[in-house]
mmCIF file of all heavy atoms in Angstrom:
data_model
loop_
_atom_site.group_PDB
_atom_site.id
_atom_site.type_symbol
_atom_site.label_atom_id
_atom_site.label_comp_id
_atom_site.label_asym_id
_atom_site.label_seq_id
_atom_site.Cartn_x
_atom_site.Cartn_y
_atom_site.Cartn_z
ATOM 1 N N GLY A 1426 190.215 57.333 34.538
ATOM 2 C CA GLY A 1426 189.351 56.500 33.704
ATOM 3 C C GLY A 1426 188.003 56.189 34.301
ATOM 4 O O GLY A 1426 187.164 55.563 33.675
ATOM 5 N N ARG A 1427 187.762 56.647 35.544
ATOM 6 C CA ARG A 1427 186.449 56.390 36.128
ATOM 7 C C ARG A 1427 185.574 57.635 36.028
ATOM 8 O O ARG A 1427 186.020 58.747 36.261
ATOM 9 C CB ARG A 1427 186.597 55.986 37.595
ATOM 10 C CG ARG A 1427 185.314 55.349 38.085
ATOM 11 C CD ARG A 1427 185.467 54.741 39.449
ATOM 12 N NE ARG A 1427 184.182 54.199 39.873
ATOM 13 C CZ ARG A 1427 183.868 53.960 41.123
ATOM 14 N NH1 ARG A 1427 184.741 54.180 42.072
ATOM 15 N NH2 ARG A 1427 182.681 53.470 41.434
ATOM 16 N N PHE A 1428 184.313 57.398 35.666
ATOM 17 C CA PHE A 1428 183.386 58.522 35.461
ATOM 18 C C PHE A 1428 182.055 58.241 36.144
ATOM 19 O O PHE A 1428 181.696 57.095 36.379
ATOM 20 C CB PHE A 1428 183.090 58.718 33.962
ATOM 21 C CG PHE A 1428 184.311 59.069 33.164
ATOM 22 C CD1 PHE A 1428 185.070 58.084 32.527
ATOM 23 C CD2 PHE A 1428 184.687 60.405 33.036
ATOM 24 C CE1 PHE A 1428 186.180 58.423 31.779
ATOM 25 C CE2 PHE A 1428 185.803 60.740 32.277
ATOM 26 C CZ PHE A 1428 186.560 59.749 31.649
ATOM 27 N N VAL A 1429 181.368 59.340 36.413
ATOM 28 C CA VAL A 1429 179.968 59.243 36.833
ATOM 29 C C VAL A 1429 179.148 59.898 35.741
ATOM 30 O O VAL A 1429 179.459 61.011 35.328
ATOM 31 C CB VAL A 1429 179.742 59.976 38.165
ATOM 32 C CG1 VAL A 1429 178.250 60.109 38.441
ATOM 33 C CG2 VAL A 1429 180.436 59.237 39.282
ATOM 34 N N THR A 1430 178.140 59.173 35.256
ATOM 35 C CA THR A 1430 177.348 59.760 34.180
ATOM 36 C C THR A 1430 176.045 60.333 34.730
ATOM 37 O O THR A 1430 175.292 59.625 35.404
ATOM 38 C CB THR A 1430 177.030 58.706 33.101
ATOM 39 O OG1 THR A 1430 178.270 58.137 32.686
ATOM 40 C CG2 THR A 1430 176.324 59.328 31.917
ATOM 41 N N VAL A 1431 175.821 61.601 34.454
ATOM 42 C CA VAL A 1431 174.563 62.230 34.859
ATOM 43 C C VAL A 1431 173.746 62.509 33.611
ATOM 44 O O VAL A 1431 174.286 62.614 32.517
ATOM 45 C CB VAL A 1431 174.797 63.554 35.630
ATOM 46 C CG1 VAL A 1431 175.601 63.316 36.885
ATOM 47 C CG2 VAL A 1431 175.470 64.582 34.731
ATOM 48 N N ALA A 1432 172.455 62.580 33.811
ATOM 49 C CA ALA A 1432 171.584 62.914 32.686
ATOM 50 C C ALA A 1432 170.878 64.215 32.996
ATOM 51 O O ALA A 1432 170.374 64.407 34.107
ATOM 52 C CB ALA A 1432 170.555 61.806 32.467
ATOM 53 N N THR A 1433 170.835 65.125 32.024
ATOM 54 C CA THR A 1433 170.201 66.418 32.272
ATOM 55 C C THR A 1433 169.518 66.946 31.017
ATOM 56 O O THR A 1433 169.929 66.648 29.898
ATOM 57 C CB THR A 1433 171.225 67.454 32.775
ATOM 58 O OG1 THR A 1433 170.559 68.690 33.007
ATOM 59 C CG2 THR A 1433 172.337 67.668 31.762
ATOM 60 N N THR A 1434 168.472 67.722 31.232
ATOM 61 C CA THR A 1434 167.832 68.387 30.106
ATOM 62 C C THR A 1434 168.360 69.807 29.953
ATOM 63 O O THR A 1434 168.046 70.494 29.007
ATOM 64 C CB THR A 1434 166.305 68.486 30.318
ATOM 65 O OG1 THR A 1434 166.060 69.090 31.583
ATOM 66 C CG2 THR A 1434 165.660 67.114 30.271
ATOM 67 N N ARG A 1435 169.149 70.223 30.948
ATOM 68 C CA ARG A 1435 169.622 71.607 30.932
ATOM 69 C C ARG A 1435 171.123 71.653 31.215
ATOM 70 O O ARG A 1435 171.556 72.066 32.303
ATOM 71 C CB ARG A 1435 168.855 72.415 31.985
ATOM 72 C CG ARG A 1435 167.341 72.284 31.842
ATOM 73 C CD ARG A 1435 166.620 73.243 32.741
ATOM 74 N NE ARG A 1435 167.159 74.556 32.540
ATOM 75 C CZ ARG A 1435 167.261 75.485 33.502
ATOM 76 N NH1 ARG A 1435 166.869 75.211 34.712
ATOM 77 N NH2 ARG A 1435 167.769 76.659 33.232
ATOM 78 N N PRO A 1436 171.925 71.243 30.244
ATOM 79 C CA PRO A 1436 173.374 71.161 30.470
ATOM 80 C C PRO A 1436 174.006 72.485 30.854
ATOM 81 O O PRO A 1436 175.008 72.502 31.567
ATOM 82 C CB PRO A 1436 173.910 70.655 29.126
ATOM 83 C CG PRO A 1436 172.817 70.802 28.144
ATOM 84 C CD PRO A 1436 171.537 70.817 28.881
ATOM 85 N N GLU A 1437 173.435 73.608 30.427
ATOM 86 C CA GLU A 1437 174.072 74.895 30.716
ATOM 87 C C GLU A 1437 174.139 75.186 32.219
ATOM 88 O O GLU A 1437 174.990 75.948 32.665
ATOM 89 C CB GLU A 1437 173.350 76.039 29.990
ATOM 90 C CG GLU A 1437 171.955 76.388 30.501
ATOM 91 C CD GLU A 1437 170.867 75.471 29.981
ATOM 92 O OE1 GLU A 1437 171.183 74.448 29.367
ATOM 93 O OE2 GLU A 1437 169.684 75.772 30.211
ATOM 94 N N THR A 1438 173.231 74.522 32.979
ATOM 95 C CA THR A 1438 173.256 74.808 34.414
ATOM 96 C C THR A 1438 174.436 74.129 35.107
ATOM 97 O O THR A 1438 174.672 74.382 36.291
ATOM 98 C CB THR A 1438 171.960 74.337 35.096
ATOM 99 O OG1 THR A 1438 171.846 72.928 34.927
ATOM 100 C CG2 THR A 1438 170.742 75.025 34.517
#
Side-chain angles (χ1 to χ4, degrees):
Chain A
R1427 196 171 178 201
F1428 298 93
V1429 169
T1430 306
V1431 300
T1433 180
T1434 53
R1435 307 189 51 213
E1437 70 279 10
T1438 61

